[in-house]
Amino acid sequence: MAAFDTPVQHRSDKETLVCLRTLGQPDPASLQAYLNVGGYKQLQRLVQDKVKATDVITQVKLSGLRGRGGAGFPTGLKWSFMPRYYDGTKYLVCNTDEGEPGTFKDRDIIRYNPHQLIEGMAIAAYTLGARVGYNYIHGEIWQDYEIFERALDEARAAGFIGENLFGTTFSFDLFAVHGYGAYICGEETALIESIEGKKGQPRFKPPFPASYGVFGKPTNVNNTESYTSIPWILEHGGDAFQALGVPNSGGTKLFSVSGHVERPGNYEVRMGMPFTELLDIAGGVWKGRQLKAVIPGGPSTAVMPAAAIMGATMDYDGLSKAGSSLGAGSMIVMDETTCMVKTLKRLSYFFYEESCGQCTPCREGTGWLYRVVKRIVEGEGRMGDLDLLTDVSSNISGRTICALGDAAATPVLSFIKHFRPEFEYYIQHGKSMVTGKAE
Amino acid sequence: MLNIEIDGKAVEVDHGTTIIDAADKLGIAIPRFCYHKKLSVAANCRMCLVQVEKFAKPLPACATPVADGMKIFTRSKAAVEAQKSVMEFLLINHPLDCPICDQGGECDLQDIAVAYGAPASRYAEEKRVVLNKNIGPLVSTDMTRCIQCTRCVRFLKEVGGMMELGMVGRGEHAEITAYVDKSVDSELSGNIIDLCPVGALTSKPFRYKARTWELTRRPSIAPHDGLGSQIEVHIKDGKVLRVLPREKESINECWLSDRDRFSYEGLNSPDRLTVPMIKHHGEWHETDWKTALEFAAGQLKDITNADGGEQLGVLVSPNSTMEEAYLAKQIAHGLGSSNIDYRLRQTDFRLDGKRMGTPWMGCNIPDLQEMDRILVIGSNLRNEHPLLANRIRKAVAQGAELSLVNPMDDDQLMAVKHKAICTPNDMVNVLAQILKAMSGLQRLSLCLPKSLNDLLETVRVWDNSQAMAESLAGLGKEVDLVSPRTGIFLGNIAQSHPRFTELYSLAEAIASLCGATFGILSPAANSTGAHLVGVLPGEHGLNAKAMLESPRKAYLLVNVEPELDCHHAAQARQAIAEAECVIALTAYKSEALEHADVLLPIAPFTETSGTYMSMEGRVQSFTAVTKPLGECRPGWKILRVLGNTLGLSGFDFDSSEQVKNAIFGGQKPSTVVWNSLNNNLRELIDIQVKIKSNVLQRLGEVPQFQSDAIVRRSPPLQKTRAVQAPVAAMHSQLLTELGLDDGEMVTVKQGVASVLLKAKRDDRLPHGVVRVPTALPVTSLLGDLMGEIEVTRA
């Protein structure tokens, strides 16, 4: 099995490593590397000192940690939804099923620092009374799945997961589950269905997983990065984590920077970093070209023209004020050679291909959107198409079982909103107004 | 209770009520496709989106439980906009083939599109095409029309008990399909036709036969099992073209078994007898009614005058109406015969005269699904009573413990808590063990009569039987049930069992010990009714079995195909062949009736008025839904005229209602019924528990689609996978002991009769049993359906 000994990417001293703090060590994914940075001490402390669950939750609440999978729901609040007294098995699930184009941060967590995730999950299990946990890993990163399996073996052998941990009655079994590459399985209830061995399709909510999750039992589902932040929070205190970021966006955030930058990759920085600084860390726009647009949080977040994002800070409120959202922190940078029409076709194809087909607006609507955009790209566009696209997107949005419908509508709505003249030009001339090759 | 407001109308509803249920209660129509009150909520079609105050997004009415004070708007701008947008999405890929679609005119999508669809489509791209699937001879598929509501998927999984359809593929490529190369074989499969809100699943036999608005709809009662399902018969030009369920929550809910739904195709069979026929010197001649009836009457009179009434045997099918049964009895009695019976497949009659009333299921049909503990003895439930099996499945899904004592282990598609799969003889033994175990449970203060106690002394209780007893007594769960609702039922196999008396007596004793409901699951539409009417041998009369064992000189057959409907095919065949005179009232020409002397074309249930009494004692009268075919006449009329021609008194009836009145003596039927239904035994009969037997025993079950003359002639049912060439099935160990190989041809012998069949390994059978179905032409040469059998290499 190949381990990724050395990070393949450039690192910057402007980064603040919380989730990736083993980086720089030989074999950063190893148990030893994690122990070197103080790993598993927090778990041991909580379990041996029988720290009260409410105290843990208080720290998590203080930390300002919000769900890193994209929705940004306060993690401490979510934990408090789990029934405290329940006669039966409670479950813990980690969502490592990142599948949106441009999203690759969780991959690097299990690739470089899997033990911190394991400790974070074990702490959550201790806090929430979960007996069994699953880490659901995206099906297309098999090597990283194996790294995580190795880490589980190490943790099990070292007595950090399993029966009667640290000589107490606390037991927690953690298993890795791999998906088969369906984007929809990143939706927490579809993920749960998939763990149960069923077709990955979102469930209607309510009931939420906290009351009806895996096998119908109370289940807490968090993103990889969220769990991985937990040991640091308990080591340094919730306030310290909050202080790393800005109000309402505590801690650090891993940004997967891709597109037209000199040094694409994952960068873990403090919340609230100005966009321009993050762009700098990634080496700036490649070949010295002009910035045209940025998708700040992944394709399901609205695209922002350069002017709108230049003054923005990279945190929940900052991006929200600027007209988009933080999402999963998957920043796609587009330079002046980018044709927005062709880019939208690419994105629409993704959602069309990945819609699960369960509910009507998304199943039918994503195909409709894609076909119209494709027709425009092929030079067959009609002037009415832009209003049609806007209308169809609005009809999908907010009317589906899960958020995939909204995710599919967002790029269409925001691309047309911000780059309408470019679309009109394409329709009128049957070709792109951008002469470059990039899509 | 919660107070809510829908479209300005205030209503009070229970906690947990969904918006759609509350709206339905108020009569406010919310459009829907995937929602069905009998199925789990999928919320996938999104057609029922409504606006709810304080919610930014529209909510699906089917999946949203109401909260106190909720204000819901189903027709506000936001709601209608959402509904219209969903309709637009549904239509973009739906083919515009309504003119050639069988669903046209009764299509939910069509109807709702009128209200919510746009006059023209904004969709100008390619449409999706989905390949059709062949899922069997009953349901036709046009999958491009499918709107992925998954009602069919949910039905088969939740009601049918097996997920035979599923949705594969993602997004636009998602399609409903069966498992690779598999058909949908559920005995309830036809219901997915009714459930499909579009024309994706339609009836294969009905395909392209008629438009819904061309059909006349008439109510009737399903005649193939003892449930009494209510049906609606659809007719065009005097011909029955399809059968649909009528919604009756307390009987068939909104479902229908495939047997009841598709049997009508047998009504249009070329086998139908349409003119009276008389045999002269071995040649059949068509004749008129007057000649035929006079001839028949003359023959009957000659024999009964010369040899006495006891030389006449009257066999009445339990599918005949109460009126037919009653008049047949009057004729038998009028001619001085008390040899009359409807229990054609019963072999043990020791209980006759010992029961306190008419045997019935002991409770009402919906009671079944409320039970906590159920013991079923000798029944292949799904095969015998498909919709009753569904009720039990529901009970099991809610946590009821089901125990089975059966001579085969067919999958009933529900969780079975305890089962004893044993030879017919051992079934008696197992019941004795359960009884003994139960009498040993301290909590039961009732004692058994001494005779039974003595009998049980030598019985050794197996663990399994102990567990069943504890289950029935309400033990075994973490918290004991104080008074479990328990039911013990005897199925068709038990009723054909050579030791039915033992099964019945022991089961009744078990039931009385644990306070359980005890019942008989009547095999046919009017088994209970025929008993009530008194189609039973008189004091010195012969029962159905004895009438064939000691052949009579004359037989009057009402709706009977002797070699297929009787317990001993070979004997029946011979008795009919050798009788001097056989008068058969039959809807069909059939091989066995070649030996009859007079064939009188009787109207099947669609062409006559009459009454059936179901296993729960429900008396249901129906009228003819279509005119009799050719010279066919309703049975009650034929028997009345025959009575008149014979010069018998008491045959002055002008209508079937008058016959019904005579049956019930002018009283309300329900009064008579409730006074007569009673499964208790007057006295305990000498029963034997332990019989050692080393002979091979036949398990001669009636296949689902061979249960009566109409079903046998329905081509679509006969093409289903359930219908297979008969085999001699046995346990692999028995195969080895007999030196046989799976699949080789064997001689199956009963008495002097033998047939050649393929041997088949079937480990669902106990050792010592050879399963050879009855009611099939091939096996109609064999003997007793649960008698001794020999199997040798051919």
Side-chain angles (χ1 to χ4, degrees):
Chain A
M1 187 189 65
F4 295 88
D5 285 345
T6 325
V8 290
Q9 65 183 55
H10 167 83
R11 301 238 72 89
S12 157
D13 53 9
K14 286 181 179 168
E15 285 185 87
T16 306
L17 300 184
V18 167
C19 293
L20 296 179
R21 58 181 163 155
T22 50
L23 280 183
Q25 302 198 44
D27 195 2
S30 66
L31 177 61
Q32 193 52 52
Y34 187 53
L35 292 175
N36 291 346
V37 298
Y40 289 110
K41 285 216 178 100
Q42 295 310 309
L43 175 65
Q44 186 164 6
R45 176 175 68 86
L46 299 179
V47 175
Q48 281 183 336
D49 298 355
K50 297 194 166 51
V51 174
K52 283 204 298 210
T54 45
D55 294 346
V56 179
I57 293 180
T58 305
Q59 289 306 317
V60 177
K61 280 183 176 166
L62 279 175
S63 75
L65 176 63
R66 293 171 60 172
R68 298 291 194 241
F73 193 82
T75 306
L77 188 59
K78 194 183 229 182
W79 284 16
S80 63
F81 292 156
M82 276 288 272
R84 197 161 312 158
Y85 306 102
Y86 178 78
D87 189 20
T89 309
K90 288 189 271 186
Y91 289 88
L92 203 67
V93 169
C94 175
N95 186 345
T96 312
D97 193 46
E98 53 182 359
E100 213 162 89
T103 311
F104 43 85
K105 66 182 180 68
D106 298 337
R107 181 199 69 190
D108 274 10
I109 291 176
I110 57 171
R111 180 182 290 179
Y112 297 122
N113 195 10
H115 283 286
Q116 192 167 331
L117 169 60
I118 295 171
E119 187 184 8
M121 288 190 76
I123 291 171
Y126 169 79
T127 310
L128 303 174
R131 177 68 180 77
V132 180
Y134 298 102
N135 183 17
Y136 190 95
I137 298 170
H138 197 57
E140 285 144 334
I141 48 172
W142 181 253
Q143 234 171 357
D144 305 282
Y145 173 81
E146 288 186 325
I147 292 172
F148 188 74
E149 282 278 24
R150 185 190 72 172
L152 282 179
D153 288 344
E154 285 176 329
R156 225 172 262 134
F160 295 132
I161 50 173
E163 300 274 324
N164 300 329
L165 299 174
F166 311 109
T168 69
T169 54
F170 172 61
S171 302
F172 175 59
D173 289 320
L174 179 57
F175 304 98
V177 180
H178 74 84
Y180 288 86
Y183 170 58
I184 193 62
C185 290
E187 199 280 342
E188 60 179 9
T189 53
L191 185 151
I192 287 170
E193 291 276 300
S194 181
I195 287 179
E196 290 180 4
K198 299 176 191 155
K199 186 184 178 198
Q201 274 188 180
R203 295 175 180 171
F204 181 77
K205 288 175 278 188
F208 290 94
S211 53
Y212 191 90
V214 181
F215 308 118
K217 308 288 186 189
T219 302
N220 181 69
V221 188
N222 283 133
N223 171 257
T224 316
E225 193 183 346
S226 308
Y227 280 127
T228 309
S229 303
I230 298 292
W232 196 97
I233 291 171
L234 290 166
E235 186 180 342
H236 302 275
D239 291 331
F241 189 79
Q242 169 64 62
L244 289 178
V246 291
N248 214 16
S249 301
T252 57
K253 176 80 192 83
L254 265 167
F255 285 95
S256 311
V257 184
S258 66
H260 300 150
V261 290
E262 286 292 344
R263 291 189 294 270
N266 280 311
Y267 297 98
E268 186 170 16
V269 299
R270 292 170 172 233
M271 282 279 196
M273 177 179 271
F275 164 76
T276 46
E277 209 172 312
L278 181 58
L279 186 62
D280 267 356
I281 294 176
V285 182
W286 74 337
K287 300 179 183 170
R289 288 184 189 157
Q290 283 293 308
L291 180 68
K292 181 173 188 179
V294 172
I295 298 175
S300 58
T301 61
V303 67
M304 299 166 78
I309 196 160
M310 286 312 280
T313 55
M314 300 304 281
D315 58 89
Y316 292 103
D317 292 348
L319 286 167
S320 175
K321 261 184 268 164
S324 185
S325 49
L326 183 66
S330 321
M331 192 168 99
I332 301 170
V333 177
M334 291 169 266
D335 73 17
E336 58 194 318
T337 64
T338 311
C339 171
M340 299 312 273
V341 184
K342 289 177 183 166
T343 306
L344 181 61
K345 180 191 148 199
R346 191 92 190 113
L347 296 178
S348 294
Y349 179 74
F350 173 76
F351 290 108
Y352 158 62
E353 189 56 40
E354 294 293 343
S355 166
C356 85
Q358 183 181 199
C359 67
T360 308
C362 178
R363 179 184 65 237
E364 307 293 342
T366 51
W368 193 352
L369 293 177
Y370 167 64
R371 288 200 173 88
V372 174
V373 180
K374 180 168 171 270
R375 189 157 49 69
I376 295 174
V377 169
E378 285 164 358
E380 304 288 322
R382 295 186 275 267
M383 257 343 220
D385 283 345
L386 297 182
D387 290 339
L388 178 68
L389 285 171
T390 310
D391 207 34
V392 171
S393 301
S394 310
N395 283 346
I396 301 172
S397 200
R399 289 171 190 173
T400 50
I401 291 177
C402 77
L404 197 149
D406 301 339
T410 304
V412 178
L413 290 170
S414 61
F415 270 65
I416 293 177
K417 181 178 160 198
H418 294 302
F419 299 96
R420 193 172 179 110
E422 198 175 326
F423 281 81
E424 286 170 350
Y425 181 93
Y426 208 126
I427 291 171
Q428 277 163 355
H429 298 86
K431 60 176 187 171
S432 176
M433 71 192 285
V434 182
T435 46
K437 279 186 186 146
E439 294 192 355
Chain B
M1 296 299 272
L2 305 169
N3 289 297
I4 58 160
E5 204 183 288
I6 308 182
D7 294 347
K9 287 189 205 168
V11 66
E12 203 182 41
V13 294
D14 289 330
H15 274 271
T17 307
T18 56
I19 295 177
I20 214 166
D21 289 338
D24 285 352
K25 193 177 162 189
L26 278 174
I28 292 172
I30 298 176
R32 82 240 6 217
F33 295 107
C34 70
Y35 174 78
H36 192 276
K37 61 184 173 181
K38 290 284 178 188
L39 304 175
S40 65
V41 171
N44 62 29
C45 78
R46 313 309 278 179
M47 193 63 215
C48 69
L49 290 173
V50 293
Q51 189 194 353
V52 180
E53 194 184 58
K54 292 182 194 139
F55 283 84
K57 298 175 181 178
L59 298 177
C62 66
T64 309
V66 298
D68 202 27
M70 216 181 223
K71 283 204 172 88
I72 297 145
F73 305 95
T74 72
R75 302 221 206 284
S76 64
K77 189 165 170 282
V80 171
E81 221 171 65
Q83 292 157 359
K84 285 192 166 172
S85 73
V86 172
M87 178 47 84
E88 180 178 37
F89 283 131
L90 283 171
L91 290 177
I92 65 170
N93 274 309
H94 190 81
L96 264 178
D97 65 346
C98 305
I100 54 148
C101 174
D102 253 10
Q103 193 87 350
E106 51 184 6
C107 173
D108 290 355
L109 187 65
Q110 213 175 28
D111 294 348
I112 298 175
V114 171
Y116 297 89
S121 175
R122 295 193 289 170
Y123 185 74
E125 323 304 320
E126 242 171 71
K127 281 196 165 208
R128 170 181 59 217
V129 172
V130 184
L131 290 180
N132 293 339
K133 319 284 181 291
N134 185 359
I135 57 169
L138 305 179
V139 183
S140 173
T141 68
D142 290 272
M143 297 318 286
T144 303
R145 296 176 189 150
C146 174
I147 57 168
Q148 281 86 12
C149 73
T150 68
R151 276 186 183 182
C152 53
V153 175
R154 285 174 284 145
F155 172 83
L156 289 167
K157 186 174 162 206
E158 294 161 17
V159 181
M162 199 204 278
M163 192 173 169
E164 290 187 276
L165 287 176
M167 192 162 87
V168 298
R170 275 203 313 249
E172 224 181 59
H173 313 294
E175 53 180 294
I176 303 291
T177 183
Y179 287 92
V180 179
D181 220 19
K182 288 275 194 311
S183 48
V184 170
D185 299 329
S186 166
E187 67 282 3
L188 305 174
S189 71
N191 293 298
I192 62 178
I193 299 167
D194 299 345
L195 286 171
C196 184
V198 295
L201 304 174
T202 52
S203 165
K204 215 174 241 186
F206 177 68
R207 197 165 167 83
Y208 301 141
K209 292 272 172 69
R211 281 304 194 182
T212 173
W213 56 84
E214 300 171 318
L215 295 163
T216 309
R217 293 156 156 77
R218 298 221 167 90
S220 189
I221 303 298
H224 306 296
D225 62 30
L227 203 73
S229 297
Q230 299 200 343
I231 57 174
E232 188 174 81
V233 185
H234 291 199
I235 299 141
K236 185 185 169 192
D237 301 333
K239 202 171 155 189
V240 176
L241 288 187
R242 68 173 173 182
V243 167
L244 297 181
R246 269 189 289 152
E247 190 167 338
K248 183 72 182 172
E249 187 57 30
S250 54
I251 305 175
N252 49 307
E253 303 173 72
C254 52
W255 314 129
L256 207 53
S257 66
D258 286 354
R259 182 164 60 185
D260 288 338
R261 184 186 294 267
F262 295 107
S263 70
Y264 73 89
E265 287 275 314
L267 297 170
N268 308 322
S269 158
D271 278 2
R272 278 292 294 276
L273 179 69
T274 51
V275 279
M277 296 180 85
I278 293 179
K279 202 189 302 178
H280 268 310
H281 309 297
E283 292 271 317
W284 282 108
H285 299 280
E286 291 187 358
T287 182
D288 58 83
W289 273 105
K290 192 162 184 296
T291 316
L293 285 167
E294 277 171 3
F295 181 75
Q299 293 248 313
L300 287 172
K301 253 195 202 156
D302 286 352
I303 289 177
T304 48
N305 284 343
D307 303 301
E310 66 269 21
Q311 276 307 322
L312 169 67
V314 181
L315 294 171
V316 182
S317 131
N319 300 310
S320 304
T321 63
M322 289 182 92
E323 290 81 354
E324 289 160 359
Y326 173 80
L327 292 172
K329 181 188 80 167
Q330 295 299 94
I331 285 178
H333 290 183
L335 289 171
S337 170
S338 47
N339 308 330
I340 179 165
D341 211 340
Y342 72 94
R343 298 163 298 177
L344 308 180
R345 292 195 182 109
Q346 193 168 318
T347 55
D348 174 4
F349 293 87
R350 284 175 290 156
L351 281 176
D352 278 13
K354 305 290 198 288
R355 272 193 287 223
M356 289 172 71
T358 298
W360 66 303
M361 77 177 287
C363 61
N364 289 118
I365 292 162
D367 297 344
L368 270 182
Q369 77 198 53
E370 304 300 327
M371 287 184 172
D372 302 311
R373 314 292 162 126
I374 299 169
L375 169 65
V376 177
I377 302 157
S379 175
N380 195 351
L381 280 168
R382 286 174 55 211
N383 181 23
E384 296 168 8
H385 315 283
L387 284 176
L388 215 59
N390 171 44
R391 296 275 186 175
I392 296 178
R393 186 173 298 123
K394 268 199 238 182
V396 170
Q398 288 163 27
E401 291 183 2
L402 172 65
S403 301
L404 295 176
V405 177
N406 261 338
M408 79 294 147
D409 194 12
D410 288 20
D411 192 353
Q412 302 301 332
L413 299 182
M414 58 185 108
V416 181
K417 182 82 179 172
H418 304 288
K419 60 186 173 189
I421 307 302
C422 51
T423 60
N425 261 329
D426 275 339
M427 286 169 68
V428 177
N429 197 7
V430 167
L431 290 191
Q433 292 178 29
I434 296 173
L435 181 60
K436 182 166 181 177
M438 191 167 284
S439 68
L441 295 173
Q442 284 191 344
R443 56 191 286 124
L444 297 162
S445 52
L446 282 169
C447 299
L448 287 176
K450 187 169 181 310
S451 59
L452 260 181
N453 251 335
D454 293 348
L455 196 68
L456 295 178
E457 204 147 285
T458 55
V459 171
R460 231 185 63 221
V461 180
W462 300 338
D463 288 350
N464 195 30
S465 309
Q466 178 75 30
M468 280 196 212
E470 287 178 6
S471 165
L472 291 170
L475 289 148
K477 282 233 164 146
E478 281 170 26
V479 182
D480 284 0
L481 296 163
V482 178
S483 54
R485 286 156 295 183
T486 310
I488 299 180
F489 301 99
L490 294 170
N492 294 7
I493 296 174
Q495 291 167 70
S496 299
H497 196 284
R499 297 170 68 201
F500 175 50
T501 304
E502 273 81 7
L503 293 180
Y504 191 102
S505 309
L506 291 166
E508 198 230 7
I510 295 169
S512 63
L513 270 196
C514 64
T517 297
F518 170 59
I520 300 283
L521 306 179
S522 318
N526 198 39
S527 306
T528 319
H531 194 285
L532 184 95
V533 166
V535 179
L536 295 163
E539 204 170 332
H540 300 290
L542 301 178
N543 57 47
K545 186 184 180 204
M547 272 185 251
L548 300 175
E549 269 172 1
S550 337
R552 303 288 98 189
K553 287 192 174 161
Y555 287 100
L556 174 64
L557 306 175
V558 183
N559 273 323
V560 178
E561 297 191 273
E563 84 287 17
L564 300 175
D565 287 335
C566 293
H567 82 285
H568 196 303
Q571 222 170 53
R573 189 182 284 273
Q574 195 178 359
I576 299 303
E578 289 172 4
E580 282 175 31
C581 157
V582 176
I583 316 292
L585 278 68
T586 175
Y588 298 97
K589 292 168 238 171
S590 83
E591 202 203 315
L593 296 175
E594 276 301 301
H595 298 290
D597 299 279
V598 184
L599 294 180
L600 304 174
I602 188 173
F605 76 106
T606 43
E607 300 166 19
T608 179
S609 56
T611 306
Y612 286 144
M613 187 167 134
S614 73
M615 63 168 86
E616 59 169 349
R618 192 186 287 267
V619 177
Q620 301 190 101
S621 293
F622 50 90
T623 55
V625 298
T626 175
K627 274 196 203 128
L629 188 69
E631 289 297 309
C632 277
R633 290 294 174 263
W636 70 268
K637 279 192 184 172
I638 301 172
L639 291 163
R640 182 205 62 184
V641 180
L642 183 61
N644 292 339
T645 315
L646 285 164
L648 304 174
S649 61
F651 281 85
D652 310 319
F653 300 111
D654 293 329
S655 69
S656 64
E657 285 79 11
Q658 288 179 6
V659 184
K660 184 182 167 190
N661 277 338
I663 294 169
F664 292 106
Q667 283 185 280
K668 258 174 71 180
S670 56
T671 316
V672 177
V673 169
W674 294 118
N675 286 334
S676 75
L677 295 181
N678 194 336
N679 287 329
N680 292 341
L681 289 175
R682 229 180 268 285
E683 57 191 282
L684 265 182
I685 302 151
D686 264 351
I687 56 171
Q688 268 188 299
V689 174
K690 283 206 159 172
I691 289 186
K692 271 278 164 221
S693 156
N694 290 320
V695 298
L696 278 185
Q697 197 168 5
R698 176 180 174 195
L699 172 60
E701 230 189 316
V702 184
Q704 187 177 5
F705 297 144
Q706 313 296 340
S707 57
D708 60 66
I710 301 174
V711 174
R712 280 171 209 140
R713 289 173 176 82
S714 164
L717 288 179
Q718 295 308 320
K719 278 184 224 148
T720 57
R721 214 178 277 253
V723 176
Q724 308 241 326
V727 291
M730 62 198 98
H731 195 275
S732 48
Q733 200 187 331
L734 183 58
L735 268 180
T736 315
E737 280 172 28
L738 295 172
L740 303 172
D741 291 323
D742 186 14
E744 80 171 302
M745 292 305 286
V746 290
T747 306
V748 174
K749 195 158 174 254
Q750 281 192 291
V752 291
S754 72
V755 294
L756 277 179
L757 292 175
K758 221 179 230 178
K760 187 174 187 295
R761 178 192 144 155
D762 187 349
D763 289 350
R764 295 173 306 171
L765 294 169
H767 188 268
V769 166
V770 183
R771 189 178 193 169
V772 180
T774 183
L776 287 163
V778 181
T779 57
S780 71
L781 296 165
L782 290 172
D784 193 337
L785 53 85
M786 288 190 63
E788 204 179 317
I789 194 166
E790 287 173 59
V791 182
T792 49
R793 177 169 276 147

